[in-house]
Amino acid sequence: MTRFAFATWDGGGNVPPAISVAQELVSRGHNVLFIGYEVQRKRFEAQGFKFDALRRSGLFDIYRADEPAPRVAGLMANVWASAEHLDDVPDAVAMNSVDVLVVDFMMQGALASAARLPVPVAVLAHSSIAGLIPPPESPMGAARLAATNQLRAKASLAALPRLNEAWIGYLTLVTTIPALDPAAAGADSCVRYVGPVFERFSEVAWDSPWDADDDRPLALVSFTTTGLWDQGGRIRNTLEALAHEPVRVLVSAPQSLDVAPVPANAAVRGFVPHAVVLPSAAVTVTHAGHGTVAASLAHGVPLVALPNPAADQPFLAATLQRLGAGLALDGESGPEAIRTAVQEVTRRPSYAGAARVLGDTIRAAPGAAGAAVELERLALTGAAAL
């Protein structure tokens, strides 16, 4: 039995893949600990995992800042390029007798600390690397790279020309498929594309608000559940767009979010696992986060994307359109544009056909079981298999 630890942060889409791999490890008889930020404790402990907050940086909460600029600055200093991780992570590994550490690929300070750890280290990339690692010539890429190299200098490590060189030589598990990540073509030999992995829920039943014989197509409206972006406007525009369409509309949104008025053909639920509703869905309208994109494609469901202007969302939205599995709209698109896109995607079979092809690839990927096998091998040998 091996004690695995996951170093993570409260970024939204990065947490479910880590939980999925952890659940698989537990099912194989291993112990799993999560190391992260105090605001995450309830989420992990509710799933039955042990949790330890980082001693110095673990009190940071990205939701304290109301505006994007201070949020990004806080993320840079406390998560993405935290010099405190150079001490926090080794301390947590030692105090919890960790055998193998798995680090979120956006936590550059935690990655830099790997050089001084006595245990094997793996890297977990929860989405498209091309979508989440900005080029160094971009403003965000330059800022993240400069902050990363500043903390690496404190650790007496060489500067990086690109952020993705931080995990060269480490077993890197990427939970997407190469079709959604152009970076796969030039990936290091230690990188494994295991495909999307999905968190398991003990309660998967839900009460449908529609009669069993209601055969209208189902449109799933699923936007980010994190507090980083206000999704109310996108949801209200979608509800207005579909109010008079011959469809059923299921909105999965935080219960605190005001999306009124809700038309007669729609229902709003606080949370419904994707696996429960996607088998009967005809289209997903979404912010294009990787989790929702991957789950929809895994069920052969095409998408209409209204991405937030950050992270991998614009990239994934554009990729869906390029692959013919959906349409990418501006995130601020109004009801008419959304209605037209949903009509196009649901009435032209090629979109569902392209989604099914990508779904076949996702289902054929190694998944959480494949990721667990790689981590077990790392625990035994101390190195990624070549």
Side-chain angles (χ1 to χ4, degrees), residues 325-360:
L327 290 176
L329 303 181
D330 183 277
E332 303 301 323
S333 294
E336 184 175 351
I338 297 171
R339 183 185 309 112
T340 300
V342 169
Q343 290 173 344
E344 168 76 7
V345 165
T346 55
R347 294 175 184 178
R348 183 171 294 186
S350 62
Y351 290 101
R356 284 194 295 271
V357 169
L358 292 167
D360 290 341

Side-chain angles (χ1 to χ4, degrees), residues 205-299:
W206 75 295
D207 295 324
S208 173
W210 297 286
D211 294 335
D213 59 354
D214 190 337
D215 60 358
R216 290 174 298 171
L218 176 66
L220 173 63
V221 179
S222 178
F223 286 82
T224 178
T225 57
T226 71
L228 291 174
W229 303 96
D230 178 10
Q231 303 299 278
R234 284 169 167 78
I235 296 175
R236 285 189 291 271
N237 284 340
T238 303
L239 287 172
E240 183 179 342
L242 303 180
H244 303 293
E245 293 294 296
V247 297
R248 295 168 294 153
V249 182
L250 174 64
V251 178
S252 178
Q255 294 178 345
S256 60
L257 190 63
D258 180 14
V259 296
V262 179
N265 67 337
V268 180
R269 295 290 183 269
F271 173 73
V272 180
H274 286 143
V276 176
V277 296
L278 281 170
S280 57
V283 63
T284 299
V285 184
T286 178
H287 64 299
H290 182 265
T292 303
V293 167
S296 297
L297 294 177
H299 289 86

Side-chain angles (χ1 to χ4, degrees), residues 6-380:
F6 287 73
T8 186
W9 61 286
D10 195 20
N14 62 315
V15 174
I19 289 178
S20 174
V21 176
Q23 288 172 328
E24 179 66 24
L25 288 169
V26 170
S27 74
R28 300 164 79 96
H30 302 292
N31 283 334
V32 174
L33 164 77
F34 277 91
I35 301 168
Y37 295 78
E38 189 61 41
V39 293
Q40 298 176 280
R41 179 181 297 277
K42 185 179 295 185
R43 169 76 182 274
F44 290 118
E45 291 183 345
Q47 284 281 15
F49 295 112
K50 293 183 179 178
F51 178 82
D52 188 24
L54 295 161
R55 295 295 186 265
R56 299 165 185 82
S57 55
L59 292 179
F60 173 68
D61 182 356
I62 62 177
Y63 302 120
R64 289 177 183 166
D66 294 329
E67 299 298 325
R71 275 185 192 156
V72 172
L75 282 168
M76 195 81 74
N78 296 282
V79 179
W80 296 339
S82 173
E84 291 179 324
H85 288 173
L86 295 173
D87 295 314
D88 268 348
V89 174
D91 285 353
V93 167
M95 291 178 64
N96 292 284
S97 302
V98 171
D99 298 313
V100 176
L101 178 67
V102 184
V103 178
D104 185 292
F105 78 140
M106 296 185 73
M107 298 172 69
Q108 289 288 343
L111 290 172
S113 77
R116 63 176 73 173
L117 293 178
V119 300
V121 173
V123 181
L124 182 65
H126 62 273
S127 181
S128 163
I129 294 174
L132 279 174
I133 300 298
E137 62 270 16
S138 69
M140 178 58 74
R144 283 175 56 183
L145 185 60
T148 294
N149 283 332
Q150 186 175 8
L151 76 85
R152 288 178 65 86
K154 291 183 179 180
S156 300
L157 296 174
L160 300 174
R162 300 182 69 89
L163 288 170
N164 59 348
E165 294 196 17
W167 54 82
I168 288 179
Y170 292 105
L171 171 65
T172 302
L173 305 173
V174 187
T175 59
T176 192
I177 54 175
L180 297 179
D181 190 5
D188 179 69
S189 61
C190 294
V191 174
R192 305 285 186 272
Y193 279 81
V194 298
V197 296
F198 304 103
E199 183 178 354
R200 305 173 198 161
F201 296 95
S202 56
E203 298 292 336
V204 295
W206 75 295
D207 295 324
S208 173
W210 297 286
D211 294 335
D213 59 354
D214 190 337
D215 60 358
R216 290 174 298 171
L218 176 66
L220 173 63
V221 179
S222 178
F223 286 82
T224 178
T225 57
T226 71
L228 291 174
W229 303 96
D230 178 10
Q231 303 299 278
R234 284 169 167 78
I235 296 175
R236 285 189 291 271
N237 284 340
T238 303
L239 287 172
E240 183 179 342
L242 303 180
H244 303 293
E245 293 294 296
V247 297
R248 295 168 294 153
V249 182
L250 174 64
V251 178
S252 178
Q255 294 178 345
S256 60
L257 190 63
D258 180 14
V259 296
V262 179
N265 67 337
V268 180
R269 295 290 183 269
F271 173 73
V272 180
H274 286 143
V276 176
V277 296
L278 281 170
S280 57
V283 63
T284 299
V285 184
T286 178
H287 64 299
H290 182 265
T292 303
V293 167
S296 297
L297 294 177
H299 289 86
V301 178
L303 302 99
V304 171
L306 290 84
N308 296 296
D312 54 351
Q313 297 169 34
F315 172 84
L316 286 172
T319 301
L320 285 170
Q321 182 160 304
R322 176 176 57 81
L323 295 173
L327 290 176
L329 303 181
D330 183 277
E332 303 301 323
S333 294
E336 184 175 351
I338 297 171
R339 183 185 309 112
T340 300
V342 169
Q343 290 173 344
E344 168 76 7
V345 165
T346 55
R347 294 175 184 178
R348 183 171 294 186
S350 62
Y351 290 101
R356 284 194 295 271
V357 169
L358 292 167
D360 290 341
T361 303
I362 289 172
R363 289 189 297 275
V373 168
E374 294 284 355
L375 291 172
E376 288 174 332
R377 183 183 295 117
L378 179 66
L380 288 173

